[in-house]
Amino acid sequence: MIIAIAAELPAQGPPSESTSPRRFNQVFVKVIVPVTSRTPEQEGPVVESWVAEQLKQLGESEYFAVTDWVPVCDGLLADDIVDNDVWDGRLDGKHSYFPVGGDIPERENGRLLVKLTGWLCPVGGEANITLPDEPGSRAVGPVQILVGKEKKPLKVDERLPYVAVIIAPPPQEEGTSHSDAE
């Protein structure tokens, strides 16, 4: 009897892409501050060799990290508002900068834009880094002070922080480890 009922049911294909949740590559950022009289060197997370090499190419020789790798979510994976606090702006327990938040406002044509805002007020600062949306992609870019409606970079005497970005594969789904398949 069960076989007869099952034979009458139409076969179902896999769910269409529009109804299945899309899995995005993960994005992580790290904030690095140059050593200055305002920001004396302090102990912090390790600065990876590829980050150090890119900082050297940007002309930076003395620096320290103030965050570990912090995940930044673009909200496409969640139904709620995503809290993308990256750094509270503290150095040595004091606020030397304003809090920094991150976002991924664009993911298209195999590329993504990582945007970090905050840093200084009243004009504000941003780091905008575009890179391939592929695991292993990575880049280091400076924070810039932007002013006006066109958001033109403002030249400042003081050296500003840098942001390192790395792309990782999408998180693995729970319950799909090799041991579960055995």
Side-chain angles (χ1 to χ4, degrees), residues 75-143:
L76 297 174
L77 301 175
D79 294 331
D80 297 328
I81 296 172
V82 177
D83 183 7
N84 281 319
D85 291 336
V86 172
W87 180 42
D88 68 2
R90 291 179 196 247
L91 290 175
D92 286 333
K94 297 178 263 181
H95 285 284
S96 293
Y97 295 94
F98 283 83
V100 175
D103 191 18
I104 304 168
E106 294 177 23
R107 261 191 212 259
E108 56 190 17
N109 300 324
R111 299 188 66 77
L112 61 81
L113 169 65
V114 180
K115 182 176 188 172
L116 285 91
T117 57
W119 312 103
L120 304 168
C121 280
V123 291
E126 289 183 4
N128 295 301
I129 300 174
T130 302
L131 64 164
D133 190 2
E134 301 169 0
S137 296
R138 53 193 184 190
V140 176
V143 171

Side-chain angles (χ1 to χ4, degrees), residues 9-127:
L9 294 175
Q12 292 182 346
S16 69
E17 196 170 309
S18 62
T19 60
S20 62
R22 184 164 172 220
R23 294 172 23 103
F24 292 100
N25 290 323
Q26 298 176 91
V27 177
F28 294 90
V29 298
K30 181 180 275 197
V31 177
I32 295 127
V33 175
V35 174
T36 67
S37 59
R38 181 175 172 242
T39 57
E41 187 167 3
Q42 55 187 273
E43 291 293 319
V46 71
V47 175
E48 290 76 10
S49 60
W50 68 267
V51 174
E53 184 60 36
Q54 288 194 23
L55 287 169
K56 184 178 175 183
Q57 291 173 6
L58 292 168
E60 202 60 62
S61 60
E62 293 186 278
Y63 46 82
F64 56 97
V66 294
T67 67
D68 279 314
W69 290 104
V70 178
V72 174
C73 182
D74 55 14
L76 297 174
L77 301 175
D79 294 331
D80 297 328
I81 296 172
V82 177
D83 183 7
N84 281 319
D85 291 336
V86 172
W87 180 42
D88 68 2
R90 291 179 196 247
L91 290 175
D92 286 333
K94 297 178 263 181
H95 285 284
S96 293
Y97 295 94
F98 283 83
V100 175
D103 191 18
I104 304 168
E106 294 177 23
R107 261 191 212 259
E108 56 190 17
N109 300 324
R111 299 188 66 77
L112 61 81
L113 169 65
V114 180
K115 182 176 188 172
L116 285 91
T117 57
W119 312 103
L120 304 168
C121 280
V123 291
E126 289 183 4

Side-chain angles (χ1 to χ4, degrees), residues 172-182:
Q172 290 187 3
E173 291 183 35
E174 292 182 29
T176 59
S177 71
H178 180 66
S179 62
D180 289 344
E182 292 180 17

